[in-house]
Amino acid sequence: MLQVKNISFQYKKQPVLKDVSFSVKKGEHLAVIGESGSGKSTLLKLLYGTYNLTEGHIFWKDIEILGPNHNLIIGPEFMKYVAQEFDLMPFITVSENIGAFLSNFFPEEKQARISELLDVVELKPFANTKVKELSGGQKQRVALARAIAKQPEVLLLDEPFSHIDNFKKQSLRRSLFNYLKEKQITCIVATHDKNDVLSYSDNMIVLHETKIMANNIPKHLYNLPQNKLIASFFGEFNVIDNKFIYAHQLTVVKKSHLKATVIKSYFKGNCYLIEANFNGENIFFEHQIQLEKNILVYLKINIPAIIS
Ligand code: ADP
Ligand code: MG
């Protein structure tokens, strides 16, 4: 189990984290979310032992993770960290980069392992391409493969798909997170993408103003967001009767007490997102067909009865 106990940290005068505690069980996936600058990357770097903590302790099982004051080499052996700005060796091939930390003692096993990893990150066709010739997203995939090559016990991922285009993102995300679960690798992922969280994280923490604002299972935080920041992470939402109502939870009905005037329709593929005026405020709802400006609609709130 990873245990973070009352840690505080600041780069200069301004504290980034103050008295933060949480834990992650073996094999569990934790998502760290929060606005840009909230300290997600800093937290991952602290977990890796990159900096000395101002206060507090971090343990993996009974091993304390210590900063550079106590260690010659940063990063414990059982952990791998993929930074937002990944550093690879540009003049050697994708395969050589992925195999860089694997033993040469069993060349056949090494090749088989590299081949398996190339499949996970979908880079088979680029096995023999030099890294300097790859795009940003391809490099990010090499960095991911290299990080899991030696099967770490704990993997820290900082915005792991930020450079990867939508064509590849869905399948890569599925393949990587499923692989980690299968191997029971504990994973902590800093992300701004709800798709990394909803289907793949066991727990999520929300960083805000140096603290953990929320720590719960994604389903709970989605169904009962306690504030606007959390609701906005999951999607377009409205505040009606002091409740957070997502756009897809409002449906058009024949008659109701919620009367709105359409402002604009945005095509979203599976539906239209409709912006409308409701009591002088802008609200959003989803609808199957486009609605013309100034049309009057009645809306009903549709929240599933069972939320857990
Ligand atoms: P996030 O990853 O959530 O965007 P960061 O952890 O990168 O946030 O940054 C948290 C805060 O720490 C920000 O205010 C940022 O400006 C500051 N910060 C990050 N890295 C450094 C650094 N190396 N030196 C000084 N301040 C930093
Ligand atoms: Mg960051």
Side-chain angles (χ1 to χ4, degrees), residues 74-97:
I74 288 169
E77 217 180 306
F78 51 84
M79 226 180 219
K80 277 283 178 292
Y81 163 60
V82 184
Q84 231 167 331
E85 45 314 299
F86 26 87
D87 62 303
L88 297 167
M89 293 169 265
F91 300 108
I92 60 172
T93 68
V94 167
S95 287
E96 288 162 341
N97 263 277

Side-chain angles (χ1 to χ4, degrees), residues 11-12 16 35-42 51 84:
Y11 287 100
K12 291 176 194 125
V16 180
E35 291 163 297
S36 177
S38 60
K40 303 182 294 297
S41 296
T42 303
Y51 305 121
Q84 231 167 331

